[in-house]
């Protein structure tokens, strides 16, 4: 079927954090919310239909997980990423971030060091520090508008760490890592007996002819030493249903993970996530292909609009995720001034770059996964606000 991503849906009364938490986040409801990574599109019809049928049953007791659930994950990874994984090494959890937090607790000790590559999704800091671990930063380096890995720094710092949290593809920079980059990082971790945990939640949101390489698909040696976290909650905008899959290198690590959650009696999907996730994996590709084309068009629109109307603000065009970075440094504002300007003058709600790492001071993150009419209105407001500065 043909999906209408131009449809503007009123989400102000559906308990959406993106809309209902505007006062908490920005101090006002009078902003267009383009912040948290949550799309403003209805999900694929097969997913809606699966949930509709489950709702009509009217009985939502304890939910079992059939073999077909993880088989759907396996088939998706094989079909779309050419990665053949064993369902016997898969575990369910509430989400990728809770899963990674659990892994930090299980496979390291308080006071151990955890390596991250900054600027990065701020939850990477939070879960490591929340587990009483010490965060070590391998800062990505910007060269001619491209972000690259400082491998000398990576190799030096990883030696002191117990775990490396990899973001593949990278959030928030939208980098699709090359196989050789992934292989080099993985081998350095293996040589130094460092556990590599690969967050691949954005691996279906890839653009411009790029291809996602699952870190565990590079070689048998690497697959035997890393844990991969996947989910289609970001892909199909199902984060509120809370479900992800972790893929382990061996049964012992899987059992340790399952025991951790089992000790809190957390081991079942809810009634709706069970059917929704399987429907997404089995029947969601038609919707996804149309989504990717639409979001790519949004990237082009943002770039063209800023180039022609707001030249002092320079957006990037990411190869992954649906998050665009606005380089606002030419406005000459510090981070707090820039935040106030976006809220009070432009009346748009964005994420501040510096919260992802100090190298993004002067940047703002814009969520492009919304109808184009919403983007047009937001960018028009931004233009008018910048024009008034002059």
């Amino acid at each position: 079927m043909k999906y209408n991503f131009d449809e503007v849906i009123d989400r102000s009364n559906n308990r959406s954090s993106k809309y209902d938490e505007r006062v908490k986040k920005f101090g006002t409801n009078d902003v267009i919310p383009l912040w948290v990574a949550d799309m403003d599109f209805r999900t694929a019809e097969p997913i809606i239909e699966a949930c509709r049928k489950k709702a009509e049953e009217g009985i939502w007791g304890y939910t079992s997980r059939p073999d077909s659930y993880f088989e759907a994950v396996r088939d998706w990874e094989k079909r779309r990423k050419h990665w053949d994984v064993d369902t016997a090494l898969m575990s369910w959890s509430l989400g990728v971030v809770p899963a990674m937090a659990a892994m930090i607790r299980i496979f390291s000790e308080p006071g151990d060091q955890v390596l991250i590559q900054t600027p990065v999704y701020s939850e990477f800091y939070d879960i490591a520090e929340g587990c009483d671990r010490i965060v070590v930063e391998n800062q990505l380096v910007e060269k001619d508008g491209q972000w690259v890995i400082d491998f000398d720094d990576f190799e030096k710092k990883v030696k002191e760490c117990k775990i490396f949290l990899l973001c593949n593809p990278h959030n928030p920079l939208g980098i699709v890592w090359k196989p050789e980059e992934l292989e080099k990082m993985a081998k350095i971790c293996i040589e130094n007996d460092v556990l590599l945990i690969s967050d691949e939640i954005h691996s279906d949101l890839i653009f411009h002819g790029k291809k996602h390489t699952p870190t565990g698909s590079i070689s048998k040696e690497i697959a035997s030493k890393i844990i991969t976290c996947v989910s289609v909650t970001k892909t199909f905008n199902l984060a509120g249903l809370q479900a992800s899959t972790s893929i382990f290198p061996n049964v012992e690590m899987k059992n340790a993970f399952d025991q951790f959650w089992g000790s809190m009696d957390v081991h079942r999907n809810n009634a709706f996530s069970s059917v929704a996730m399987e429907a997404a994996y089995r029947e969601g590709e038609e919707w996804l292909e149309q989504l990717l084309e639409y979001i790519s068009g949004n990237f082009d629109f943002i770039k063209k609009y800023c180039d022609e109307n707001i030249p002092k603000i320079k957006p990037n065009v990411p190869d992954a995720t649906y998050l665009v970075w606005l380089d606002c440094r030419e406005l000459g504002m510090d981070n707090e001034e820039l935040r106030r300007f976006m809220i009070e003058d432009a009346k748009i709600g964005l994420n501040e770059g510096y919260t992802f790492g100090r190298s993004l001071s002067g940047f703002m993150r814009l969520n492009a996964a919304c109808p184009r009419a919403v983007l047009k209105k937001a960018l028009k407001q931004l233009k008018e606000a910048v024009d008034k500065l002059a």
Side-chain angles (χ1 to χ4, degrees):
M1 64 182 291
K2 176 67 177 174
Y3 289 95
N4 180 19
F5 295 102
D6 282 321
E7 179 186 7
V8 178
I9 299 168
D10 182 5
R11 299 185 64 196
S12 58
N13 293 306
N14 78 346
R15 305 190 184 190
S16 161
S17 62
K18 185 177 184 180
Y19 286 78
D20 293 350
E21 294 179 11
R22 281 178 289 183
V23 171
K24 178 180 177 181
K25 174 71 175 174
F26 304 107
T28 177
N29 274 321
D30 190 21
V31 291
I32 298 174
L34 300 172
W35 58 296
V36 66
D38 178 332
M39 295 190 278
D40 285 335
F41 308 126
R42 284 169 60 88
T43 193
E45 190 58 36
I47 302 171
I48 296 172
E49 181 60 23
C51 290
R52 184 181 293 119
K53 289 180 179 178
K54 177 57 67 174
E56 289 173 352
E57 289 175 6
I59 302 174
W60 310 301
Y62 293 121
T63 303
S64 67
R65 189 179 306 112
D67 291 342
S68 60
Y69 184 90
F70 285 138
E71 288 167 359
V73 179
R74 177 199 63 198
D75 295 346
W76 178 271
E77 292 296 321
K78 187 173 183 178
R79 187 168 65 250
R80 293 193 66 87
K81 301 160 196 172
H82 311 292
W83 186 31
D84 195 1
V85 289
D86 185 354
T87 59
L89 295 176
M90 295 181 184
S91 290
W92 171 87
S93 70
L94 291 166
V96 166
V97 172
M100 294 172 71
M103 292 167 194
I104 291 171
R105 292 186 182 277
I106 297 165
F107 301 116
S108 68
E109 299 293 335
D112 282 344
Q113 299 188 65
V114 175
L115 184 67
I116 63 176
Q117 292 179 308
T118 56
V120 74
Y121 181 45
S122 58
E123 296 288 346
F124 278 33
Y125 292 96
D126 296 342
I127 59 174
E129 292 174 345
C131 295
D132 196 26
R133 274 56 168 180
I134 298 168
V135 172
V136 177
E137 298 183 31
N138 168 230
Q139 291 189 41
L140 300 172
V141 180
E142 185 183 8
K143 292 184 178 179
D144 301 321
Q146 302 295 317
W147 294 84
V148 298
I149 301 166
D150 181 344
F151 274 105
D152 289 338
D153 182 73
F154 181 90
E155 190 161 10
K156 175 183 176 183
K157 289 178 176 176
V158 80
K159 294 178 186 295
E160 307 300 322
C161 295
K162 189 73 173 181
I163 291 174
F164 168 45
L165 301 180
L166 170 66
C167 205
N168 176 32
H170 191 276
N171 171 27
L173 297 178
I175 302 168
V176 178
W177 297 118
K178 298 174 183 176
E180 55 268 27
E181 294 171 320
L182 294 170
E183 181 176 24
K184 188 170 182 178
M185 287 188 284
K187 285 189 172 180
I188 292 171
C189 287
I190 291 170
E191 289 166 3
N192 290 279
D193 194 27
V194 173
L195 175 62
L196 192 161
I197 302 172
S198 187
D199 169 7
E200 305 196 4
I201 196 170
H202 287 97
S203 59
D204 299 306
L205 299 166
I206 308 291
F207 305 90
H208 312 126
K210 298 293 179 72
K211 300 293 183 184
H212 171 73
T213 302
T215 314
S217 71
I218 295 172
S219 70
K220 289 184 178 180
E221 179 192 21
I222 291 172
S224 70
K225 298 292 184 180
I226 75 165
I227 305 171
T228 303
C229 301
V230 298
S231 176
V232 286
T233 53
K234 198 67 68 177
T235 309
F236 292 97
N237 213 37
L238 305 173
L241 292 181
Q242 295 185 305
S244 73
T245 300
S246 301
I247 303 169
F248 292 90
N250 55 61
V251 173
E252 291 75 21
M253 295 183 83
K254 169 184 161 54
N255 289 344
F257 182 83
D258 293 344
Q259 184 178 5
F260 176 89
W261 289 109
S263 68
M264 296 178 283
D265 197 34
V266 178
H267 53 87
R268 298 181 188 274
N269 290 73
N270 69 57
F272 290 91
S273 76
S274 175
V275 296
M277 298 304 147
E278 190 165 342
Y281 279 118
R282 297 215 180 273
E283 303 178 77
E285 284 180 278
E286 181 181 49
W287 182 91
L288 176 57
E289 292 304 326
Q290 293 178 42
L291 170 81
L292 294 174
E293 182 179 354
Y294 189 88
I295 292 178
S296 183
N298 277 356
F299 292 160
D300 294 339
F301 172 76
I302 294 167
K303 182 72 167 63
K304 186 172 187 290
Y305 189 96
C306 289
D307 287 350
E308 293 178 356
N309 299 282
I310 326 172
K312 284 189 174 182
I313 293 180
K314 297 174 173 56
N316 77 325
V317 180
D319 288 326
T321 81
Y322 45 73
L323 306 165
V324 172
W325 283 102
L326 304 178
D327 182 348
C328 303
R329 289 175 291 184
E330 284 191 27
L331 297 181
M333 300 179 183
D334 64 29
N335 289 319
E336 185 53 37
E337 289 171 335
L338 184 59
R339 169 183 163 79
R340 287 199 304 269
F341 170 77
M342 291 297 178
I343 297 171
E344 298 173 8
D345 299 324
K347 297 188 183 304
I348 52 179
L350 308 176
N351 291 100
E352 301 89 349
Y354 74 91
T355 62
F356 297 84
R358 49 191 179 274
S359 57
L360 285 177
S361 290
F363 287 74
M364 299 294 287
R365 192 186 79 170
L366 181 149
N367 179 345
C370 62
R372 203 154 300 155
V374 175
L375 280 181
K376 288 179 181 179
K377 187 174 189 297
L379 291 177
K380 182 175 182 290
Q381 290 176 191
L382 180 57
K383 175 188 182 305
E384 291 170 350
V386 172
D387 286 348
K388 286 180 181 178
L389 292 174

